[in-house]
Amino acid sequence: MAYPNRNRPSTHHEISAPFPRTAAPRTRPRTALFAGALATALTAALVHAPQAAAAPEPVNQPPCENAPEAPPKHQMRAEWIAGVQNIDWPTSQGQTPERQQADLTDLYDEAVDNGLNAVFVQIRPTADAFWPSPYEPWSEWLTGEQGGDPGYDPLEFAVEEAHARNLEFHAWYNPYRVAMHDDVNALVEDHPARQNPDWVFEYGGKLYYDPGVPEAREFVIEAMMHSVENYDLDGVHFDDYFYPYPVSGEVIPDADTYAEHGSGFDDIGDWRRDNVDLMVRGMSEAVNDVKPYVKFGISPFGIWRNSGTDPNGSDTNGSQSYDNQFADSRKWVLEGWLDYINPQIYWEIGLPVADYSVLVPWWEEVAEGTGTHLYVGQAAYKVGNAGAWQDPNELSSHLDLNRDHPGVQGDVYFSATSLRTNARQAMEIVVEDHYSSPALVPVKEDLGGTVPAPPRVTANGEGALEIAPGPGEAPAYYAVYAFDGQPARGQAPCGIEDPRAMLGTVRAGDDGTATFTVPRSADTTYYVTAVHRLHHESRASKPEYLP
């Protein structure tokens, strides 16, 4: 069956995105830790809200209710930053470290300007590494030479700069793709794929690790986990590439692997799906064992199966990831192996073969009651294409529809370059319609975490708030709210539940302190909350009034 109007770069996920089979779903109680660089992240103008003030220790405070038109306060707003073939970053091979770093910080600054709160950065595009890995060579997409030292640690830099802007950092990996060519001898001599050619097959002019080889599965998990263990990641992210997308006239050359490892499976498709399941589950368990506060998510192709094939499928008629990539994404959600599912629903509203307005409620129903967050992958790269995508309002219309489906907790845009080029106007509309107020990243309750103590806040007389942590564990960052007029006595500030009162967030420094420059306004009361790295928010600070 034909792909439903995918019209996307052949390299995404670029698009994108051991192991007992009966282990319990992933649950992860714990507390967490965090420190980051000091930075200021103003993202909105002062918004008036009902006058209120915080009691130091509110007791039995009635729950706050937002105005019906209030936007969500917790919402994932992210973009993919693709490294393969230099789609987004690095923008070209062989740049100086200074140029590479400047290009990335430019993308991050644009993300903040667009109201985003997370970045999904590709750090292992083709069985290579954007960090000094003991398992795999330096990525050719950094220097133009596989194994070439870029002169700094790109992953360390990328994480620190994201956190300085209070952007969550999700490390994006392509698990099985080895090379964008089919010559294993063109890999560096000590490449694991070259040293273990029985782990590799060629298909469609590219090289892949064979998911059916147990040693290859275990190796890719170990290679990816090195970055989880050694860097301050917020998330681990896979795209939609497991077994490769079908190529006309070609058959995946894994018959010998099936003969050797496929006992117990009468159907090679079932065996392939089990291989992918083992890797997904194994990575989930590995992350949980090492850093249970790090979220694990996958952005599969937007159609699991069509209802004409499977009664549990969606009312669509497109390519099916269950059958073509052997990716049983619905099962991963139902089994609780993921913290979030981020399907690439890369089609317009009303497309007969794959209607956005059909797929969103289908995925919402899949995720309902599972504890798995649902974020929607948005095709910013398609803006300007013929048909519905010629209308720059199409992306904003997707978010309008999402607001009617509370199970959708955010959106991720492919990709960063599109948001500054073909989709620039469309994103300006999204910002105006949906992102004019900041949002905190959604809280995933089963990951544990603590609610910080309210911070201590003083105005420094120079148009800034000096923020210090309260007792106990220092927070990851602070959220700042502004209200017109003097504080009312004896009331908790219900207005802070409405994100339209939020000026922005600022990362806590190593000592837990921060400085936030406020707009020059008279007769304004400010409140600050402390926020855990998993986005649990404290009660408000005592009010700070600036006449």
Side-chain angles (χ1 to χ4, degrees), residues 189-211:
E189 188 173 356
D190 61 349
H191 195 293
R194 189 168 174 179
Q195 297 295 313
N196 300 277
D198 55 321
W199 291 4
V200 181
F201 62 67
E202 183 274 327
Y203 182 81
K206 300 180 178 67
L207 297 174
Y208 299 89
Y209 283 124
D210 187 338

Side-chain angles (χ1 to χ4, degrees), residues 65-320:
E65 294 185 6
N66 286 346
E69 70 278 8
K73 184 174 182 181
H74 287 265
Q75 186 179 51
M76 175 61 75
R77 302 174 181 177
E79 66 183 8
W80 280 290
I81 298 177
V84 70
Q85 296 190 323
N86 303 111
I87 291 174
D88 295 310
W89 180 77
T91 56
S92 63
Q93 299 172 20
Q95 295 175 311
T96 65
E98 294 77 17
R99 182 68 262 163
Q100 279 188 2
Q101 293 170 358
D103 285 347
L104 184 61
T105 56
D106 285 347
L107 288 176
Y108 284 176
D109 289 341
E110 291 173 13
V112 171
D113 290 343
N114 284 329
L116 306 186
N117 54 25
V119 288
F120 292 12
V121 182
Q122 193 171 40
I123 65 166
R124 185 183 179 271
T126 44
D128 50 17
F130 276 40
W131 74 96
S133 168
Y135 297 95
E136 296 178 309
W138 283 110
S139 176
E140 67 176 292
W141 311 112
L142 293 167
T143 64
E145 177 187 0
Q146 190 171 71
D149 190 333
Y152 73 111
D153 185 337
L155 179 54
E156 179 181 53
F157 178 83
V159 172
E160 289 180 352
E161 290 297 319
H163 286 167
R165 292 158 177 79
N166 207 35
L167 295 166
E168 265 205 341
F169 186 94
H170 291 235
W172 165 19
Y173 312 80
N174 189 293
Y176 288 121
R177 184 174 57 206
V178 172
M180 303 299 288
H181 56 76
D182 60 4
D183 183 4
V184 71
N185 292 319
L187 303 173
V188 291
E189 188 173 356
D190 61 349
H191 195 293
R194 189 168 174 179
Q195 297 295 313
N196 300 277
D198 55 321
W199 291 4
V200 181
F201 62 67
E202 183 274 327
Y203 182 81
K206 300 180 178 67
L207 297 174
Y208 299 89
Y209 283 124
D210 187 338
V213 176
E215 296 83 1
R217 282 199 309 269
E218 293 165 9
F219 171 79
V220 297
I221 291 174
E222 192 172 8
M224 292 184 289
M225 282 303 301
H226 181 263
S227 62
V228 180
E229 293 164 356
N230 290 280
Y231 294 85
D232 190 20
L233 310 180
D234 299 298
V236 165
H237 183 78
F238 292 169
D239 56 20
D240 55 325
Y241 285 102
F242 297 97
Y243 280 86
Y245 277 88
V247 175
S248 179
E250 294 199 32
V251 176
I252 295 174
D254 61 351
D256 291 343
T257 312
Y258 177 47
E260 182 176 357
H261 298 290
S263 61
F265 291 90
D266 296 329
D267 178 81
I268 195 170
D270 291 338
W271 170 73
R272 288 171 178 166
R273 275 181 289 276
D274 187 64
N275 294 332
V276 176
D277 288 349
L278 288 171
M279 191 275 294
V280 169
R281 184 178 201 144
M283 190 67 182
S284 176
E285 293 174 351
V287 173
N288 182 50
D289 288 345
V290 172
K291 289 184 177 178
Y293 55 85
V294 171
K295 290 170 276 194
F296 177 42
I298 296 178
S299 58
F301 186 72
I303 298 173
W304 172 72
R305 298 193 97 185
N306 302 309
S307 57
T309 304
D310 188 316
N312 291 315
S314 53
D315 186 15
T316 51
N317 292 289
S319 177
Q320 305 172 113

